């Protein structure tokens, strides 16, 4: 079984729950375990919120009002990628670690906790950050689209 979709979303806070609901609906329809679906939806929400907040001005000074979310359910794994057109992450500097009492900056740490594998980087040759993560799927009993 393989399902994938891609969204081109406006950098607006209202786009975050839209992406999350689409992912949850896809997972529910496929028969993915609700706990796994929830973890991935929280990680997606954090990645989208980062794109909305930080994915604006590109190094040349122009702006982009959109970001892209792509989700792949392929076999036993789900992979999600969120890409924006902002300035990207600073070169040679890993994203800072947030403290438990920080009000901001915990999103990337949360994504790392909820996913099995995470890649955080910049688009090659162009402005923009890319956050991708994947997780091994668990299935509900009698799932209609379970991988064989």
């Amino acid at each position: 079984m393989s399902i994938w979709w891609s969204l081109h979303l406006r950098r607006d806070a209202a786009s975050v729950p839209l992406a999350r609901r689409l992912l949850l609906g896809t997972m529910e329809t496929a028969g993915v375990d609700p706990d796994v679906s929830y973890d991935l939806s929280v990680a997606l929400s954090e990645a989208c919120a980062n794109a909305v907040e930080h994915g604006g001005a590109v190094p040349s000074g122009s702006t982009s009002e959109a970001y892209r979310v792509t989700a792949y359910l392929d076999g036993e794994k789900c992979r999600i990628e969120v890409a924006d057109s902002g300035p990207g992450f600073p070169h040679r500097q890993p994203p800072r670690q947030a403290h438990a009492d920080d009000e901001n900056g915990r999103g990337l740490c949360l994504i790392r906790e909820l996913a099995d594998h995470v890649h955080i980087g910049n688009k090659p040759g162009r402005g923009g950050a890319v956050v991708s993560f994947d997780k091994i799927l668990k299935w509900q009993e009698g799932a209609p689209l379970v991988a064989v």
Side-chain angles (χ1 to χ4, degrees):
M1 183 268 311
S2 182
I3 300 171
W4 75 271
W5 49 260
S6 187
L7 301 171
H8 187 80
L9 297 167
R10 184 188 315 243
R11 283 186 47 245
D12 183 277
S15 68
V16 177
L18 173 66
R20 182 178 175 143
R21 284 192 297 266
L22 182 58
L23 178 66
L24 285 169
T26 301
M27 300 275 210
E28 181 181 3
T29 300
V32 175
D33 178 81
D35 291 336
V36 172
S37 298
Y38 179 78
D39 287 352
L40 284 168
S41 73
V42 171
L44 174 62
S45 295
E46 293 296 333
C48 290
N50 283 345
V52 167
E53 185 174 345
H54 304 292
V58 294
S60 66
S62 64
T63 60
S64 173
E65 292 300 317
Y67 67 101
R68 189 187 75 241
V69 175
T70 306
Y72 307 89
L73 278 77
D74 192 18
E76 295 294 322
K77 180 171 70 172
C78 178
R79 179 177 188 90
I80 297 172
E81 180 179 286
V82 177
D84 65 43
S85 298
F89 293 100
H91 294 288
R92 298 186 187 107
Q93 262 187 329
R96 74 173 184 87
Q97 292 289 24
H99 299 290
D101 58 349
D102 287 349
E103 289 189 28
N104 293 313
R106 295 185 308 230
L108 295 176
C109 295
L110 189 54
I111 293 168
R112 285 186 184 106
E113 290 295 319
L114 294 170
D116 295 327
H117 179 263
V118 178
H119 175 76
I120 299 168
N122 294 325
K123 290 181 189 175
R126 298 181 294 182
V130 178
V131 175
S132 63
F133 50 94
D134 57 57
K135 189 167 184 80
I136 301 299
L137 298 175
K138 294 178 187 169
W139 300 92
Q140 296 181 55
E141 185 70 32
L145 299 177
V146 69
V148 185

